[in-house]
Amino acid sequence: MSEKLSIVLFSGTVDKLMAASIIASGAAAMQKEVTIFATFYGLFALRKGDWKQNRRISKDCEDYGAQFLQVLEAKKAPNWLETLQSAMDIGNVKVKACGLTMDLLSIKLEDLEPIVSEIVGVAHFVEEASDGQIIFL
Amino acid sequence: MDGIKITKESDARGSFCPGPLMEMIRLVRSAKVGDVVAVISGDEGSKKDIPAWIQKARYELVGMEEVTAGATRILCRKNH
């Protein structure tokens, strides 16, 4: 059985989304089984088309926020969704949606980017992640 | 890398981490067993990243060479 890396994607800011997608890419390349559990703001950011206007920056990084976004644009860095899609192309990466957030916001699976494969509860996630590393972002 | 025939090469300069590695993975996947493929990267991290992947995937790192200042060509043989 391959090693696992699970990411709890709680934040919906560009900085955290990039971090999550880049770590997921590296882990996928190194043949780990990657699960991203998108919850709360992380799930908001996965609503269809949200990435196009998402310029949100984490509060603790806001001093650098404008500069960060500007550099990403100027250097034409791929956006986090593209990075995540290429991680899925080369390896085993699954994105799962948190059932609670879906219920609270009345979101359906079809309202989310197609990279999200299914809706799961927290117990499912914890159980699946239990024999691997977990990163909270 | 005299005498080594590169079947396919991708110039990934201008691509950011993990872009050059992703490019290497795609090239190796599309190559035939025995082929040598190469990626040119301007990302300093690639010099550690791509060999780490090659080792993990049990392919062969044929070599690395400086192409221009700050750009490295990394060669991988798809040996299985």
Side-chain angles (χ1 to χ4, degrees):
Chain A
M1 198 179 67
S2 60
E3 291 171 55
K4 289 180 184 174
L5 176 76
S6 303
I7 300 173
V8 180
L9 181 63
F10 180 81
S11 312
T13 51
V14 177
D15 46 285
K16 299 288 175 88
L17 289 159
M18 278 193 74
S21 59
I22 292 168
I23 295 168
S25 302
M30 299 317 271
Q31 302 173 3
K32 295 194 195 303
E33 206 179 301
V34 183
T35 301
I36 297 178
F37 181 61
T39 182
F40 287 82
Y41 315 104
L43 193 57
F44 294 10
L46 280 164
R47 287 174 299 184
K48 256 181 200 152
D50 185 88
W51 62 275
K52 290 178 202 158
Q53 66 266 358
N54 186 357
R55 295 179 63 80
R56 295 183 287 266
I57 289 288
S58 304
K59 207 74 185 157
D60 54 348
C61 309
E62 67 186 350
D63 289 354
Y64 308 99
Q67 190 191 359
F68 175 70
L69 292 171
Q70 208 178 350
V71 166
L72 290 181
E73 251 161 57
K75 298 207 167 173
K76 297 190 171 60
N79 70 61
W80 61 270
L81 192 60
E82 287 174 73
T83 303
L84 201 49
Q85 276 157 346
S86 62
M88 295 172 108
D89 291 342
I90 60 109
N92 182 356
V93 180
K94 289 190 182 72
V95 183
K96 300 185 177 187
C98 156
L100 165 66
T101 316
M102 301 291 282
D103 289 342
L104 290 175
L105 292 170
S106 310
I107 310 176
K108 291 189 181 68
L109 198 55
E110 57 265 32
D111 301 325
L112 299 171
E113 288 295 342
I115 57 166
V116 182
S117 59
E118 59 181 316
I119 301 167
V120 299
V122 67
H124 169 95
F125 171 73
V126 169
E127 183 58 25
E128 196 180 42
S130 61
D131 48 353
Q133 290 172 289
I134 303 180
I135 295 175
F136 187 93
L137 282 169
Chain B
M1 298 295 143
D2 292 339
I4 292 164
K5 187 177 165 276
I6 297 172
T7 312
K8 256 192 210 166
E9 177 169 279
S10 171
D11 190 340
R13 275 175 280 194
S15 173
F16 302 99
C17 174
L21 170 61
M22 297 293 131
E23 201 51 37
M24 177 59 93
I25 295 174
R26 283 190 205 103
L27 277 186
V28 171
R29 290 225 170 138
S30 66
K32 291 193 205 76
V33 173
D35 285 356
V36 173
V37 296
V39 166
I40 301 176
S41 175
D43 167 44
E44 186 65 25
S46 295
K47 289 195 251 177
K48 298 276 185 195
D49 230 27
I50 295 179
W53 173 77
I54 292 173
Q55 194 182 9
K56 181 81 183 179
R58 295 182 291 110
Y59 293 122
E60 181 194 339
L61 177 66
V62 176
M64 293 203 278
E65 58 184 359
E66 189 108 342
V67 182
T68 53
T72 307
R73 174 185 286 118
I74 304 164
L75 291 85
C76 173
R77 179 176 286 117
K78 183 170 180 172
N79 54 358
H80 64 88

